[in-house]
Amino acid sequence: MSAMPHEPLTQADVLLEGFLALGTPEGFRAELIEGEIVVTPPPDGDHEDYIDLIVSQVLRRSRTDMQFSGNKGLKLESDPGSTRDHVIPDVTFAPRDLRLFRGADSWMPCDGVAMVVEVTSMRAHVDRETKRRCYARGGIPLYLLIDRGASALTLFSEAEGGDYLQRRTIHFGKVLPLPEPFAFELDTAAFE
């Protein structure tokens, strides 16, 4: 029997294999973002409170019936020649009629995702900069960032060329209009 020649593994292949085999402690999450493995500890209570304030309004008020997932792994396009990004948003929203999460693998493509949400934590620059670029490259239409350090929310939209062309920032206590398919004003009075 003759051995089949194998293509040599690239550095990106080795990084991806190592990342996918990584075991993290319970409650921690590991992401592969722009060629770097990022491990995040379990969130604090304020982080979870902000998530609840967003999710409850979207489920009650969105024009389109939405389904959500907390901590759903997404495979996103990356820069050419780089390892595909594997990112876990705090919240992922998709129209319920698509049922994107049913039968999805641990790491699913982002086709059909309407919006992702992140609440800043210890590494706020990752949420503000790095993940923003990842989500834009993945073609996710809306990225909502709850920035605890700035006491503000920013909605990024119109993904193009590896970033979002539009951004709208409001301070806690104001309302933030969410476009279609949500089509309602997100009230942030309780964020203060």
Side-chain angles (χ1 to χ4, degrees):
M1 179 189 292
S2 62
M4 294 290 292
H6 291 284
E7 295 274 330
L9 291 176
T10 66
Q11 185 175 358
D13 293 333
V14 172
L15 178 64
L16 181 59
E17 282 185 23
F19 168 72
L20 293 173
L22 185 66
T24 56
E26 186 175 341
F28 282 69
R29 63 183 184 187
E31 301 170 285
L32 181 57
I33 305 171
E34 294 185 345
E36 180 182 345
I37 295 174
V38 178
V39 179
T40 308
D44 62 29
D46 288 345
H47 181 281
E48 295 303 281
D49 186 59
Y50 288 124
I51 296 296
D52 177 66
L53 292 169
I54 297 291
V55 169
S56 63
Q57 285 189 64
V58 167
L59 294 181
R60 281 192 333 263
R61 303 179 64 203
S62 180
R63 177 175 295 165
T64 302
D65 193 21
M66 288 288 163
Q67 187 177 39
F68 81 97
S69 178
N71 300 308
K72 179 69 189 111
L74 298 177
K75 289 188 286 190
L76 305 170
E77 294 300 318
S78 58
D79 289 328
S82 298
T83 306
R84 179 175 265 199
D85 293 315
H86 286 67
V87 181
I88 305 173
D90 291 326
V91 179
T92 302
F93 288 106
R96 184 171 300 282
D97 62 354
L98 297 179
R99 298 190 70 192
L100 286 185
F101 307 119
R102 184 178 187 93
D105 291 332
S106 298
W107 297 99
M108 70 178 224
C110 57
D111 300 334
V113 169
M115 180 169 71
V116 291
V117 179
E118 295 284 0
V119 178
T120 56
S121 52
M122 294 183 302
R123 295 184 180 144
H125 68 281
V126 171
D127 296 320
R128 291 180 187 131
E129 301 293 329
T130 314
K131 283 191 169 184
R132 186 193 77 231
R133 291 190 302 269
C134 288
Y135 296 141
R137 280 194 303 271
I140 296 174
L142 300 170
Y143 171 36
L144 180 62
L145 174 66
I146 295 97
D147 192 328
R148 297 194 283 181
S151 298
L153 280 81
T154 301
L155 181 66
F156 298 94
S157 60
E158 295 185 36
E160 186 178 302
D163 209 345
Y164 289 97
L165 300 178
Q166 298 292 320
R167 69 181 69 199
R168 178 158 187 192
T169 301
I170 62 148
H171 288 284
F172 291 174
K174 307 287 184 192
V175 296
L176 178 65
L178 294 180
E180 292 287 346
F182 301 92
F184 75 94
E185 289 190 337
L186 182 69
D187 183 0
T188 69
F191 283 56
E192 295 183 294

